Amino acid sequence: MWTIDYSNLSERELEKIQSDIGSGQSDLRVFIADILPRDCCHRENMQDRMLELESLVTTFWGVVILEHIQKRSLPDYNTYIWGGKLDEIIHEMQLQKANLLIIGNILKPHQIFKINEILKPFGMVAWDRVDLILKIFQRNAKTTESKLQIELAAIKHMWPRIFNMGMELGKQQWKGSGESNTEIMKRHLAKRQSDIRKELDKYANVRKNHREGRKRKGYITVGIVGYTNAGKSSLMNALTKKWVLAEDKLFATLWTSVGKMWIQADSQEEWVYQKGTEVLLSDTIGFIRDLPPELIDAFTSTLEDSIESDILFHVVDASDPKIDEKVQVVDDILEQIRATQKRVYVFNKIDMLQISELADLKIRFQDKDPILVSTHYRRGFQEIENLLRDLA
Ligand SMILES: Nc1nc2c(ncn2[C@@H]2O[C@H](COP(=O)(O)OP(=O)(O)OP(=O)(O)O)[C@@H](O)[C@H]2O)c(=O)[nH]1
Ligand SMILES: [Mg+2]
């Protein structure tokens, strides 16, 4: 239950609430707003965008109280959401005691800064889509490397905003230093960025050595990639003895895990001993639409295991109504990160489909020649093994 009265908050109390929201320690009562071009999307697509945004909010343990879709030819230059509508949103948020406004778009730094300035007196905070994804990453990251990668992405994301803050902070100076607060902050962040890069290079080197070691041993390497929540970690677990966290939430995996699978040689004569083949699978972070380049860049070393694998398994949630769009998003990102090796489409969760839906799917995606699997029921695994055996 929301109990704080914001009407008489001091600066310090407000800052505390904002940082609690940032770390997810406060009750999050969220208003989500999605701003679309006037000529954009069918109703269905608009709802899907909202649903994905809702899943992201739920993943962050927030509760969506209100939603709003605005269609405009152009977003407002200053505040992205057009003025009158922003007033209405604030009013609604006050009535419903919402404390966080999430805008499902990627805003310019000065726009998110301006909105936050407007919301501040009401004890509310605004994030854009990237802020939300970063917060989820921050919460889910477990390894030192992924924490560093996220910190780097956050610095890159926040950097342009500091220029806007400069208008406020730049006026103030540390006594006697002759340097403005903005300059001090920029210097500090630049140093931190370079320290993180050095640290991440060490991890990248270790990874590179491991990859070379695997190559020398003649292992076949498979990179498991796909949209978030498609079932990549579940596939990894089912094919190997590895146990990777698989959960019904977005971005459950934020680092790379490597597992080993043994493919028995296919011998016609059972009594002839045939050496099998070891295959190494690497499971990694999932993709999502509108992933900003600074996030992909920060995860380069994690993604390198996939980029440099012999073959890619592009795992797809076959039961997803937005399957076409999501396949395209992942293919586009793979192109962006220059992952050009052979790609096999693995359509997962077929247990969720009726026979007629499955038949329809096969026809629609015949050019991609997908392997149809259910990791829950271990269906389609023979086909995966056959494919890997042919590669050996
Ligand atoms: N019905 C059904 N559900 C599945 C199947 N495979 C995975 N799931 C479910 O899908 C959800 C996501 O699975 P994960 O393996 O965590 O997916 P992921 O692609 O690794 O997700 P991220 O790491 O968050 O990107 C979980 O709730 C799984 O139990 C399947 O074959 N059938
Ligand atoms: Mg996963």
Side-chain angles (χ1 to χ4, degrees):
M1 197 62 202
W2 190 251
T3 49
I4 301 171
D5 173 16
Y6 280 124
S7 53
N8 208 6
L9 284 177
S10 69
E11 248 333 88
R12 183 179 274 264
E13 284 166 324
L14 198 56
E15 269 171 27
K16 166 86 175 70
I17 288 165
Q18 288 178 347
S19 93
D20 283 351
I21 288 176
S23 60
Q25 281 161 16
S26 164
D27 287 337
L28 289 185
R29 293 173 62 85
V30 183
F31 188 118
I32 45 182
D34 199 12
I35 318 298
L36 301 168
R38 222 180 263 288
D39 56 351
C40 160
C41 333
H42 292 296
R43 192 179 181 74
E44 217 181 281
N45 283 5
M46 282 158 40
Q47 278 165 357
D48 285 324
R49 280 176 63 103
M50 263 301 173
L51 278 179
E52 185 167 274
L53 207 52
E54 268 180 41
S55 309
L56 285 167
V57 172
T58 321
T59 297
F60 195 67
W61 300 336
V63 181
V64 176
I65 305 295
L66 290 159
E67 292 179 358
H68 174 74
I69 297 177
Q70 187 180 31
K71 281 199 159 192
R72 298 294 299 217
S73 322
L74 273 177
D76 181 73
Y77 176 77
N78 284 318
T79 52
Y80 203 87
I81 300 172
W82 284 86
K85 188 49 76 183
L86 187 58
D87 292 341
E88 274 174 41
I89 289 177
I90 294 173
H91 182 63
E92 276 299 317
M93 285 178 73
Q94 276 184 304
L95 287 179
Q96 303 294 332
K97 309 228 182 296
N99 50 0
L100 177 60
L101 170 63
I102 292 181
I103 302 153
N105 313 77
I106 304 180
L107 270 62
K108 297 242 180 326
H110 74 267
Q111 291 168 328
I112 195 79
F113 178 79
K114 188 86 200 156
I115 294 185
N116 271 305
E117 285 294 288
I118 296 172
L119 293 186
K120 213 171 177 180
F122 301 95
M124 298 164 186
V125 180
W127 294 346
D128 71 355
R129 183 182 165 80
V130 184
D131 291 322
L132 178 60
I133 293 175
L134 272 172
K135 301 280 180 195
I136 294 173
F137 280 15
Q138 268 161 357
R139 164 146 331 137
N140 290 358
K142 300 275 185 306
T143 62
T144 314
E145 185 185 16
S146 56
K147 284 180 187 165
L148 287 170
Q149 285 170 323
I150 291 153
E151 193 183 338
L152 184 62
I155 293 176
K156 284 182 176 190
H157 180 58
M158 293 307 290
W159 191 261
R161 292 189 190 176
I162 295 169
F163 285 84
N164 289 80
M165 282 164 64
M167 289 180 295
E168 294 294 309
L169 297 172
K171 296 173 202 147
Q172 305 155 18
Q173 273 190 7
W174 284 111
K175 267 189 201 132
S177 74
E179 206 178 14
S180 75
N181 285 355
T182 327
E183 281 160 353
I184 293 171
M185 201 188 290
K186 277 190 207 162
R187 192 162 42 77
H188 167 75
L189 287 181
K191 163 94 174 53
R192 182 71 193 132
Q193 214 169 343
S194 117
D195 289 348
I196 295 176
R197 283 224 171 82
K198 277 185 210 146
E199 212 38 44
L200 284 176
D201 280 350
K202 288 185 204 159
Y203 284 96
N205 265 336
V206 172
R207 254 178 226 295
K208 190 161 169 263
N209 290 340
H210 282 167
R211 275 198 303 275
E212 282 169 2
R214 288 172 206 148
K215 246 192 192 107
R216 276 197 301 275
K217 286 182 184 150
Y219 293 142
I220 296 173
T221 52
V222 179
I224 303 179
V225 292
Y227 210 84
T228 181
N229 214 38
K232 301 176 295 296
S233 303
S234 304
L235 180 70
M236 164 89 162
N237 290 340
L239 291 176
T240 69
K241 295 266 181 320
K242 196 98 185 167
W243 188 87
V244 178
L245 178 72
E247 265 189 297
D248 192 12
K249 71 176 195 187
L250 308 183
F251 301 114
T253 308
L254 286 178
W255 51 90
T256 299
S257 307
V258 180
K260 204 181 276 185
M261 179 184 176
W262 177 259
I263 305 284
Q264 199 61 50
D266 192 17
S267 168
Q268 299 300 317
E269 299 153 274
E270 272 173 28
W271 54 273
V272 178
Y273 174 72
Q274 298 257 0
K275 200 170 168 293
T277 308
E278 272 176 312
V279 177
L280 294 180
L281 296 108
S282 59
D283 172 36
T284 189
I285 179 173
F287 301 146
I288 196 164
R289 85 183 155 78
D290 295 339
L291 207 54
E294 65 258 31
L295 274 188
I296 300 182
D297 277 0
F299 280 82
T300 311
S301 62
T302 302
L303 290 170
E304 258 167 15
D305 278 342
S306 307
I307 299 169
E308 308 226 346
S309 59
D310 298 318
I311 184 166
L312 280 180
F313 280 180
H314 174 166
V315 180
V316 178
D317 178 349
S319 69
D320 193 321
K322 300 313 294 175
I323 182 169
D324 300 75
E325 196 187 305
K326 291 186 176 175
V327 165
Q328 193 58 50
V329 165
V330 174
D331 278 342
D332 288 348
I333 295 174
L334 289 175
E335 200 162 303
Q336 207 177 324
I337 62 176
R338 288 189 253 284
T340 52
Q341 64 275 65
K342 181 179 164 68
R343 198 172 305 169
V344 175
Y345 293 84
V346 179
F347 281 18
N348 184 30
K349 308 193 193 181
I350 57 166
D351 53 284
M352 307 269 284
L353 298 178
Q354 309 283 345
I355 293 175
S356 59
E357 290 173 318
L358 206 54
D360 174 53
L361 201 68
K362 278 185 193 165
I363 296 170
R364 270 174 49 216
F365 287 94
Q366 59 186 341
D367 61 317
K368 303 217 179 302
D369 196 18
I371 299 182
L372 305 175
V373 307
S374 162
T375 59
H376 277 189
Y377 295 92
R378 304 188 72 83
R379 280 165 62 187
F381 282 17
Q382 193 57 52
E383 227 181 304
I384 290 187
E385 283 190 21
N386 291 346
L387 179 124
L388 293 172
R389 190 176 292 113
D390 289 347
L391 279 180

